[in-house]
Amino acid sequence: MISLQASADRRQFIQSLLAAAAASAVITPERLLAGAAPADWTLGVADVEADIAPRALTPIAGRTPADFSGVLYRNGPAKFRRGGSSAGHWFDGDGLIRRFQIADGRASLVARFADTAKRRLETQLDRIVMPGFGTAPGSGAVISNNDDANAANTNVRLIGGELLALWEGGSATRMDPETLMTDGIKTFRDDLKHVPFSAHPRIGADGSVWNFGGNGKVTGLWHLGADGRLIDFAVLPLPRASYFHDFTITARHIVIVLQPWLQTRFGFPISTTMEWQPDLGTQVMVIAKDDLNQRRIYELPAFSAFHYGDGWEESDGTIRFAGCLEADPTFGQTSASALLRGEYVPPPRAMLHEIVLYPDGKAAVVPTGVAGEFPASDPRRAEQPHCLTAHVAGYDEAGPFPHAIATWDWQRGRSDSFDFGAHQLVEEFQYAPGNSARESDGWLIGSTLNLKAGASELHLLRAGDVAAGPVASWRADVALPISFHGMFVKA
């Protein structure tokens, strides 16, 4: 059992979380994805008007390996506008969960919106009113707890046999793994109802799950068994009220990066309640899993980041993990809001780095020199050293979305990439293990949005030879906007 001596009691913590919902409201007209589609990046933030019924994908290149089968789940916002109103930030649209299945050499797709309280109310009112990340609540908003504003739009993970659609500021939402029908809010324990279970849980080598919930001067810390049952929940004090979207773990430690993007007040929109204070630098807090009172703070130069890679610990205690680092949080502050207006406000490019924390208290940020986001590695090597980190790449100045997929080899210090072309918007790819223990024998599977075809596509590449391009590709008869995160489940 985890124990923690905290100055803030649990009731105060939970009440503070329930008071912190995000925001949304105005902007452009409705756009239907069926029919004529814009031949530019704005298709990536267009609206889907209804669930996508099951349908076969059309093979367009290559051949599916005979022994490859499984399901790729994806989640991302796909409904931003109603009745002349709009969400104020890309992060605030209704979550659309997508299920790509590959079996017997064929691929299929079904997609369904999470049936949230937010979506039901806004459908009834025919306008965007509920809080999100980027704008204030509109007239008619009803906010009694975090899950009234829960968009269920950021990630989707299969945990203990349950498919959970995840959002940063509220509970997990249960979905049927086959039909994607919503089965209500997940409550791990009655006294933890509505406490955030964030969008980036970490799976340990033993299958157990670690996650945080809520930002500010304290955060919740969840620990689940491999069967999805709650082992413990603790209130974790933090040295600063940093915004953090992701974290990582090693076999013995929890690692939380505290960037100098700090919440300085309560209010709406949430993104405007935070201030970038680079003179404070970035802190990294390392906490022992078996005793949360044992912690250490590392100091690094200021950077901003949304995503980190799997961590590991060397025999001497050195901790290493990947980070996709930005010079400042312009993307979250302004660029992601501009997307919904059809505007591209170039933020500092996210660059792949290795963060190294030494046992003597020193720390280093080591650049690779390559741009990248959404790091992914072989899940079989959780909490262990790994050679390959997959990431999106191929950014240009014409628009906000990447066009390439790549791997970075940490041992050889080199990149292997494939560019789909400027007409393709590339989403996060997942690593799918192959039939051997070698990382290079695995697969990368993910989706793109083909602007020329006005359609979403699914691609399978060899992890050890990304530059060769897709081994197999399929095309849907619909265009789905860009999603955020997901997972691959091998059959």
Side-chain angles (χ1 to χ4, degrees), residues 8-84:
D9 66 29
R10 179 169 298 178
R11 180 175 300 175
Q12 289 175 326
F13 169 68
I14 292 173
Q15 287 175 344
S16 70
L17 291 175
L18 298 181
S24 80
V26 289
I27 303 180
T28 55
E30 305 257 334
R31 179 186 296 157
L32 192 64
L33 278 182
D40 59 48
W41 63 261
T42 61
L43 186 60
V45 291
D47 285 333
V48 172
E49 298 300 330
D51 297 337
I52 305 300
R55 62 200 58 216
L57 303 186
T58 301
I60 56 175
R63 177 181 294 181
T64 313
D67 58 350
F68 187 90
S69 61
V71 174
L72 175 67
Y73 293 103
R74 299 287 303 156
N75 191 2
K79 178 64 176 173
F80 305 97
R81 307 164 184 91
R82 293 182 185 276

Side-chain angles (χ1 to χ4, degrees), residues 337-351:
S337 291
L339 297 181
L340 299 188
R341 301 191 296 270
E343 301 172 4
Y344 176 40
V345 177
R349 187 69 64 218
M351 304 295 291

Side-chain angles (χ1 to χ4, degrees), residues 265-305:
R265 61 184 176 85
F266 290 103
F268 302 105
I270 291 296
S271 60
T272 64
T273 68
M274 297 182 292
E275 294 182 3
W276 177 242
Q277 301 181 23
D279 290 346
L280 297 178
T282 291
Q283 294 181 324
V284 183
M285 187 168 76
V286 177
I287 311 110
K289 287 180 177 177
D290 60 359
D291 182 358
L292 300 183
N293 293 302
Q294 291 188 20
R295 62 191 68 189
R296 188 171 197 173
I297 302 294
Y298 292 81
E299 302 287 344
L300 286 168
F303 61 77
S304 184

Side-chain angles (χ1 to χ4, degrees), residues 81-170:
R81 307 164 184 91
R82 293 182 185 276
S85 66
S86 172
H89 200 285
W90 186 32
F91 297 172
D92 291 349
D94 291 342
L96 180 73
I97 292 80
R98 309 106 194 265
R99 186 182 191 275
F100 294 93
Q101 181 169 9
I102 299 175
D104 301 322
R106 292 185 285 272
S108 61
L109 166 68
V110 61
R112 189 180 294 274
F113 282 100
D115 183 18
T116 63
K118 170 189 181 299
R119 181 170 171 81
R120 291 193 297 271
L121 177 63
E122 292 177 340
T123 299
Q124 176 186 347
L125 297 176
D126 191 30
R127 64 179 182 272
I128 302 297
V129 299
M130 290 303 294
F133 188 82
T135 56
S139 176
V142 177
I143 311 169
S144 59
N145 58 66
N146 286 15
D147 291 320
D148 286 337
N150 193 335
N153 68 1
T154 309
N155 204 347
V156 58
R157 301 301 297 265
L158 193 66
I159 297 176
E162 287 189 310
L163 188 68
L164 303 178
L166 305 178
W167 183 62
E168 194 165 71

Side-chain angles (χ1 to χ4, degrees), residues 4-5 10 32 46 66 68 79 103 156 176 180 193 208 231 267 276 295 399-400 408 418 424 445 467-468 481 490:
L4 178 66
Q5 300 298 319
R10 179 169 298 178
L32 192 64
F68 187 90
K79 178 64 176 173
V156 58
D176 186 284
L180 303 183
K193 193 172 184 179
S208 64
I231 294 175
W276 177 242
R295 62 191 68 189
W408 178 261
F418 177 78
Q424 290 268 27
I445 183 167
K490 189 174 182 180

